Amino acid sequence: MQTNQNISCSVNECTHHANSENYCTLQQINVGKCQGSTCSCADTECASFHAK
Ligand code: SF4
């Protein structure tokens, strides 16, 4: 699996995670909001997440 060293990620519950290294394997990801209005990073999410 090819890692994308431009996308650092520690969410190893995701099927796109590189497992042995903390990187994503996708070419690009989509980032979205958890709610309608965002005022902190906790209100954002990786919309490309897919559970293992
Ligand atoms: S898709 Fe998102 S959550 Fe999944 S490994 Fe890539 S950056 Fe992390």
Side-chain angles (χ1 to χ4, degrees):
M1 210 181 319
Q2 186 87 29
T3 64
N4 183 343
Q5 301 207 343
N6 293 313
I7 306 176
S8 175
C9 179
S10 60
V11 185
N12 58 3
E13 294 85 354
C14 178
T15 191
H16 301 303
H17 192 267
N19 296 316
S20 57
E21 299 177 88
N22 275 338
Y23 291 106
C24 184
T25 58
L26 295 177
Q27 298 264 314
Q28 65 175 49
I29 60 167
N30 295 315
V31 177
K33 301 179 196 177
C34 300
Q35 302 173 43
S37 178
T38 304
C39 57
S40 75
C41 95
D43 297 333
T44 66
E45 64 179 1
C46 177
S48 301
F49 171 83
H50 188 266
K52 284 182 177 170

Coordinates of all heavy atoms in Angstrom, one line a residue:
M1 N 0.8 -1.2 0.0 CA 0.0 0.0 0.0 C 0.9 1.3 0.0 O 1.8 1.4 0.8 CB -0.9 0.0 1.2 CG -2.2 0.7 1.0 SD -3.3 0.7 2.4 CE -3.2 -0.9 3.1
Q2 N 0.7 2.1 -0.9 CA 1.5 3.4 -1.1 C 1.0 4.4 0.0 O -0.2 4.7 0.0 CB 1.3 3.9 -2.5 CG 2.1 5.1 -2.8 CD 3.5 4.7 -3.3 OE1 3.6 3.6 -3.9 NE2 4.5 5.5 -3.1
T3 N 1.9 4.9 0.8 CA 1.5 6.0 1.7 C 1.6 7.4 1.0 O 2.4 7.6 0.1 CB 2.5 6.0 2.9 OG1 3.8 6.3 2.5 CG2 2.4 4.7 3.7
N4 N 0.8 8.3 1.4 CA 0.8 9.6 1.0 C 1.4 10.5 2.1 O 0.7 10.8 3.1 CB -0.6 10.1 0.6 CG -0.5 11.5 0.0 OD1 0.4 12.3 0.2 ND2 -1.6 11.9 -0.6
Q5 N 2.7 10.8 2.0 CA 3.4 11.5 3.1 C 3.0 12.9 3.2 O 3.5 13.7 4.1 CB 4.9 11.3 2.9 CG 5.2 9.8 3.0 CD 6.6 9.5 3.5 OE1 7.5 10.4 3.5 NE2 6.8 8.3 3.8
N6 N 2.1 13.4 2.3 CA 1.5 14.7 2.5 C 0.3 14.7 3.4 O -0.2 15.8 3.7 CB 1.1 15.3 1.1 CG 2.4 15.6 0.3 OD1 3.3 16.1 0.7 ND2 2.3 15.1 -1.0
I7 N -0.2 13.5 3.7 CA -1.4 13.4 4.6 C -1.1 12.6 5.8 O -1.1 11.4 5.8 CB -2.6 12.8 3.8 CG1 -2.9 13.6 2.5 CG2 -3.9 12.9 4.7 CD1 -4.1 13.0 1.7
S8 N -0.7 13.2 6.9 CA -0.4 12.6 8.1 C -1.7 12.3 8.8 O -2.6 13.1 8.9 CB 0.5 13.5 9.0 OG 0.7 13.0 10.2
C9 N -1.8 11.1 9.4 CA -3.1 10.7 10.0 C -2.8 9.6 11.0 O -2.1 8.6 10.7 CB -4.1 10.2 9.0 SG -5.6 9.7 9.7
S10 N -3.5 9.7 12.2 CA -3.3 8.6 13.2 C -4.5 7.8 13.4 O -4.6 7.0 14.4 CB -2.9 9.3 14.5 OG -3.9 10.2 14.9
V11 N -5.5 7.9 12.5 CA -6.8 7.2 12.6 C -6.6 5.8 12.1 O -7.0 5.5 10.9 CB -7.9 7.9 11.9 CG1 -9.2 7.3 12.2 CG2 -8.0 9.4 12.4
N12 N -6.0 4.9 12.9 CA -5.7 3.5 12.3 C -7.0 2.6 12.3 O -6.9 1.5 11.8 CB -4.6 2.9 13.1 CG -4.8 2.7 14.5 OD1 -5.9 3.1 15.0 ND2 -3.8 2.3 15.2
E13 N -8.1 3.2 12.7 CA -9.4 2.4 12.5 C -9.9 2.6 11.1 O -10.9 1.9 10.7 CB -10.4 3.0 13.5 CG -10.1 2.7 15.0 CD -9.2 3.8 15.6 OE1 -8.7 4.7 14.9 OE2 -9.0 3.7 16.8
C14 N -9.3 3.4 10.3 CA -9.8 3.7 8.9 C -9.1 2.7 7.9 O -7.9 2.4 8.0 CB -9.4 5.1 8.6 SG -9.9 5.6 6.9
T15 N -9.9 2.3 7.0 CA -9.4 1.3 6.0 C -8.3 1.9 5.1 O -7.5 1.2 4.5 CB -10.6 0.8 5.1 OG1 -10.1 -0.3 4.3 CG2 -11.2 1.8 4.3
H16 N -8.3 3.3 5.0 CA -7.3 4.0 4.2 C -6.0 4.3 4.9 O -5.1 4.8 4.3 CB -7.9 5.3 3.6 CG -9.1 5.1 2.8 ND1 -9.2 4.3 1.7 CD2 -10.4 5.6 3.0 CE1 -10.4 4.3 1.2 NE2 -11.2 5.1 2.0
H17 N -5.9 3.9 6.2 CA -4.7 4.2 7.0 C -3.6 3.2 6.6 O -3.8 2.1 6.2 CB -5.0 4.0 8.5 CG -3.9 4.6 9.4 ND1 -2.9 3.8 9.9 CD2 -3.7 5.8 9.8 CE1 -2.1 4.5 10.6 NE2 -2.5 5.7 10.6
A18 N -2.3 3.7 6.6 CA -1.2 2.9 6.1 C -0.8 1.9 7.2 O 0.1 1.0 6.9 CB 0.0 3.8 5.8
N19 N -1.4 1.9 8.3 CA -1.1 0.9 9.4 C 0.3 1.0 10.0 O 0.4 1.3 11.2 CB -1.4 -0.5 8.9 CG -2.8 -0.7 8.5 OD1 -3.7 -0.3 9.2 ND2 -3.1 -1.4 7.4
S20 N 1.3 0.6 9.3 CA 2.7 0.6 9.9 C 3.2 2.0 10.1 O 4.1 2.3 10.9 CB 3.6 -0.2 9.1 OG 3.7 0.3 7.8
E21 N 2.7 3.0 9.4 CA 3.1 4.4 9.5 C 1.8 5.3 9.6 O 0.8 4.9 9.1 CB 3.8 4.8 8.2 CG 5.1 4.1 7.9 CD 5.7 4.5 6.6 OE1 6.5 5.5 6.7 OE2 5.4 4.0 5.6
N22 N 2.0 6.4 10.3 CA 0.8 7.3 10.5 C 0.6 8.2 9.3 O 0.8 9.4 9.4 CB 1.0 8.1 11.8 CG 0.5 7.3 13.0 OD1 -0.3 6.3 12.8 ND2 1.0 7.6 14.2
Y23 N 0.2 7.6 8.2 CA -0.1 8.3 7.0 C -1.4 7.7 6.3 O -1.7 6.5 6.6 CB 1.0 8.3 5.9 CG 2.2 9.1 6.4 CD1 3.4 8.4 6.8 CD2 2.2 10.5 6.3 CE1 4.5 9.1 7.2 CE2 3.4 11.2 6.7 CZ 4.5 10.5 7.1 OH 5.6 11.2 7.5
C24 N -2.0 8.5 5.5 CA -3.1 8.1 4.7 C -2.6 7.5 3.4 O -1.5 7.8 3.0 CB -4.0 9.3 4.4 SG -5.5 8.9 3.5
T25 N -3.3 6.6 2.8 CA -2.9 6.0 1.5 C -3.6 6.6 0.3 O -3.3 6.2 -0.8 CB -3.1 4.5 1.5 OG1 -4.5 4.2 1.8 CG2 -2.2 3.8 2.6
L26 N -4.6 7.5 0.6 CA -5.3 8.1 -0.5 C -4.5 9.2 -1.2 O -3.6 9.8 -0.6 CB -6.7 8.7 0.0 CG -7.7 7.7 0.5 CD1 -8.9 8.4 1.0 CD2 -8.1 6.7 -0.6
Q27 N -4.8 9.5 -2.4 CA -4.2 10.6 -3.2 C -4.6 11.9 -2.6 O -3.9 12.9 -2.6 CB -4.5 10.5 -4.6 CG -4.0 9.3 -5.3 CD -2.7 9.5 -6.0 OE1 -2.5 10.5 -6.7 NE2 -1.8 8.6 -5.8
Q28 N -5.9 12.0 -2.2 CA -6.5 13.2 -1.6 C -7.6 12.8 -0.7 O -8.1 11.7 -0.8 CB -7.0 14.2 -2.7 CG -8.2 13.6 -3.5 CD -8.8 14.6 -4.4 OE1 -8.0 15.2 -5.2 NE2 -10.1 14.8 -4.4
I29 N -7.9 13.7 0.3 CA -9.0 13.4 1.2 C -10.0 14.6 1.1 O -9.6 15.7 0.7 CB -8.5 13.2 2.6 CG1 -7.8 14.4 3.2 CG2 -7.8 11.9 2.8 CD1 -7.6 14.4 4.7
N30 N -11.2 14.4 1.6 CA -12.2 15.4 1.7 C -12.3 15.7 3.2 O -12.5 14.8 4.0 CB -13.5 15.0 1.2 CG -13.4 14.8 -0.3 OD1 -12.8 15.6 -1.1 ND2 -14.0 13.7 -0.8
V31 N -12.3 17.0 3.5 CA -12.5 17.4 4.9 C -13.7 18.2 5.0 O -14.0 19.1 4.2 CB -11.3 18.3 5.4 CG1 -11.5 18.8 6.8 CG2 -10.0 17.5 5.3
G32 N -14.6 17.9 6.0 CA -15.9 18.6 6.1 C -16.1 19.0 7.5 O -15.2 18.9 8.4
K33 N -17.3 19.6 7.7 CA -17.7 20.0 9.1 C -18.6 19.0 9.7 O -19.4 18.3 9.1 CB -18.5 21.3 8.9 CG -17.9 22.5 8.3 CD -18.9 23.6 8.2 CE -18.5 24.7 7.2 NZ -19.5 25.7 7.1
C34 N -18.5 18.9 11.1 CA -19.4 18.0 11.8 C -20.8 18.6 12.0 O -21.8 17.9 12.0 CB -18.8 17.7 13.2 SG -17.2 16.9 13.1
Q35 N -20.8 19.9 12.0 CA -22.1 20.7 12.2 C -22.1 21.8 11.2 O -21.1 22.0 10.5 CB -22.2 21.2 13.6 CG -22.1 20.1 14.7 CD -22.0 20.7 16.1 OE1 -22.7 21.6 16.4 NE2 -21.1 20.1 16.9
G36 N -23.2 22.6 11.2 CA -23.3 23.7 10.3 C -22.3 24.8 10.4 O -21.9 25.4 9.4
S37 N -21.9 25.0 11.6 CA -20.9 26.1 11.9 C -19.7 25.5 12.6 O -19.9 24.7 13.5 CB -21.6 27.2 12.7 OG -20.7 28.2 13.0
T38 N -18.5 26.0 12.2 CA -17.3 25.4 12.8 C -16.5 26.5 13.5 O -16.2 27.6 12.9 CB -16.4 24.8 11.7 OG1 -17.2 23.8 11.0 CG2 -15.2 24.2 12.2
C39 N -16.0 26.3 14.7 CA -15.2 27.3 15.4 C -14.0 26.6 16.1 O -13.2 27.3 16.8 CB -16.0 28.1 16.4 SG -16.8 27.2 17.6
S40 N -13.8 25.3 15.9 CA -12.6 24.7 16.4 C -12.3 23.4 15.6 O -13.2 22.9 14.8 CB -12.8 24.2 17.9 OG -13.6 23.1 17.9
C41 N -11.1 22.9 15.7 CA -10.8 21.8 14.9 C -11.6 20.5 15.3 O -11.8 19.6 14.5 CB -9.3 21.5 14.9 SG -8.6 20.4 16.1
A42 N -12.1 20.5 16.5 CA -13.0 19.4 16.9 C -14.3 19.3 16.1 O -14.9 18.3 16.1 CB -13.2 19.5 18.4
D43 N -14.6 20.4 15.5 CA -15.8 20.5 14.7 C -15.6 20.1 13.2 O -16.5 20.2 12.4 CB -16.4 21.9 14.7 CG -16.8 22.3 16.1 OD1 -17.2 21.4 16.9 OD2 -16.8 23.5 16.4
T44 N -14.4 19.6 12.9 CA -14.1 19.2 11.5 C -13.9 17.7 11.5 O -13.7 17.1 12.5 CB -12.8 19.9 11.0 OG1 -11.7 19.4 11.7 CG2 -12.9 21.4 11.1
E45 N -14.0 17.1 10.3 CA -13.9 15.7 10.2 C -13.3 15.3 8.9 O -13.4 16.1 7.9 CB -15.2 15.0 10.3 CG -16.2 15.4 9.2 CD -17.5 14.8 9.2 OE1 -17.8 14.0 10.2 OE2 -18.3 15.0 8.3
C46 N -12.6 14.1 8.8 CA -12.2 13.6 7.5 C -13.4 12.9 6.9 O -13.8 11.8 7.4 CB -11.1 12.6 7.7 SG -10.6 11.9 6.1
A47 N -14.0 13.4 5.9 CA -15.1 12.9 5.2 C -14.8 11.7 4.4 O -15.7 11.0 3.9 CB -15.8 13.9 4.4
S48 N -13.5 11.4 4.2 CA -13.1 10.2 3.5 C -12.9 9.0 4.4 O -12.6 7.9 3.9 CB -11.8 10.5 2.8 OG -11.9 11.6 1.9
F49 N -13.1 9.1 5.7 CA -13.0 8.0 6.6 C -13.9 6.8 6.2 O -15.1 7.1 5.9 CB -13.3 8.5 8.0 CG -13.4 7.3 9.0 CD1 -12.3 6.8 9.6 CD2 -14.6 6.8 9.3 CE1 -12.3 5.8 10.5 CE2 -14.7 5.7 10.3 CZ -13.6 5.2 10.9
H50 N -13.4 5.6 6.3 CA -14.2 4.5 6.1 C -13.7 3.4 7.1 O -12.5 3.0 7.1 CB -14.0 3.9 4.6 CG -14.9 2.8 4.2 ND1 -14.6 1.5 4.4 CD2 -16.2 2.9 3.8 CE1 -15.6 0.8 4.0 NE2 -16.6 1.6 3.6
A51 N -14.6 3.0 7.9 CA -14.3 2.0 9.0 C -13.8 0.7 8.5 O -14.3 0.2 7.5 CB -15.5 1.8 9.9
K52 N -12.8 0.1 9.1 CA -12.3 -1.2 8.8 C -13.3 -2.2 9.0 O -14.1 -2.1 9.9 CB -11.1 -1.5 9.6 CG -9.8 -0.8 9.1 CD -8.6 -1.2 9.9 CE -7.4 -0.5 9.4 NZ -6.2 -0.6 10.3
Ligands
SF4_1 S1 -9.2 8.7 4.9 FE1 -9.0 10.3 6.5 S2 -9.2 9.1 8.4 FE2 -8.8 7.7 6.8 S3 -6.6 7.4 6.8 FE3 -7.0 9.0 5.3 S4 -6.9 10.9 6.4 FE4 -7.0 9.3 7.9

